[in-house]
Amino acid sequence: MTPEYDLKATVRTIQDYPKPGIMFRDITTLLGDARAFRRAVDELVQPWAGSKIDKVAGIEARGFILGGALAHQVSAGFVPIRKRGKLPHATVRIAYSLEYGLDEMEMHADAIHPGERVILVDDLIATGGTAEGAVKLMRQIGANVVAACFIIDLPDLGGAAKLRAMDVPVRTLMAFDGH
Ligand code: AMP
């Protein structure tokens, strides 16, 4: 991969989606570019390439696409974190804050064993409400969350700082100003 390769240029920005004032950072264009997809996966897990990772946990839905590839890359299992009501077996659940109000996310209670080393992944971190909920959910069942990885950081919204304050190392590959 050439050093000048511009990963950021493969992310498409759509203004005023899903509502006025939002700059939607669309990663489908990155995923559809073979070089960009491979590079993003390689770079996200690069700091943990030599260490033992038991599970990669992905947040529905874009975190599933990245999480499957990351899990394969580090020879770990994959764990889906889903919206309430989607998982068939016994779950643990947590409420988390969205821009307007609350939502709930779940994972299978037996998906991660106490002490297992887990990397969390999603496409983007904004306010950090979603990722914070996922970290708390995994810690409830004894997971050792060794890192959280996101392709995109919106640093003005403070999510990455929030996770670091929870002692979760955060890796992001690019940042956009504003929200
Ligand atoms: P937050 O909980 O505020 O960190 O929001 C993160 C979640 O919302 C992620 O799952 C993102 O996919 C999605 N998200 C938030 N803001 C944007 C944005 N500007 N563009 C695309 N996705 C976003």
Side-chain angles (χ1 to χ4, degrees):
M1 218 57 71
T2 52
E4 67 273 16
Y5 183 75
D6 189 357
L7 193 63
K8 196 170 177 180
T10 68
V11 173
R12 174 165 57 192
T13 296
I14 297 160
Q15 282 188 32
D16 299 322
Y17 181 88
K19 55 185 185 216
I22 302 288
M23 302 277 271
F24 190 84
R25 308 300 176 178
D26 173 21
I27 63 152
T28 64
T29 40
L30 180 153
L31 298 173
D33 178 323
R35 265 201 332 162
F37 188 19
R38 174 174 282 280
R39 182 172 179 139
V41 169
D42 285 349
E43 290 204 0
L44 279 175
V45 295
Q46 187 270 327
W48 299 278
S51 51
K52 176 174 151 45
I53 300 298
D54 298 300
K55 302 279 164 61
V56 173
I59 299 175
E60 185 172 3
R62 281 163 285 187
F64 290 180
I65 302 162
L66 295 166
L70 258 59
H72 178 80
Q73 185 81 344
V74 297
S75 301
F78 175 76
V79 175
I81 297 180
R82 302 206 64 179
K83 307 265 164 54
R84 181 179 178 161
K86 304 271 191 176
L87 289 166
H89 194 55
T91 59
V92 285
R93 181 183 306 156
I94 195 165
Y96 66 103
S97 52
L98 290 172
E99 200 174 349
Y100 301 108
L102 287 177
D103 208 343
E104 288 181 303
M105 66 175 86
E106 291 182 331
M107 62 186 289
H108 278 141
D110 61 359
I112 298 172
H113 303 121
E116 282 193 322
R117 291 165 55 80
V118 183
I119 291 178
L120 176 69
V121 64
D122 201 0
D123 64 328
L124 178 148
I125 183 156
T127 67
T130 311
E132 179 187 30
V135 169
K136 287 182 176 168
L137 184 66
M138 292 190 287
R139 284 181 172 169
Q140 265 182 37
I141 57 169
N144 175 8
V145 184
V146 298
C149 298
F150 309 86
I151 292 178
I152 300 167
D153 186 16
L154 304 184
D156 297 344
L157 298 183
K162 186 185 279 183
L163 286 191
R164 291 186 180 113
M166 299 171 73
D167 288 326
V168 179
V170 178
R171 178 150 175 88
T172 61
L173 302 183
M174 66 185 75
F176 290 94
D177 293 335
H179 59 89

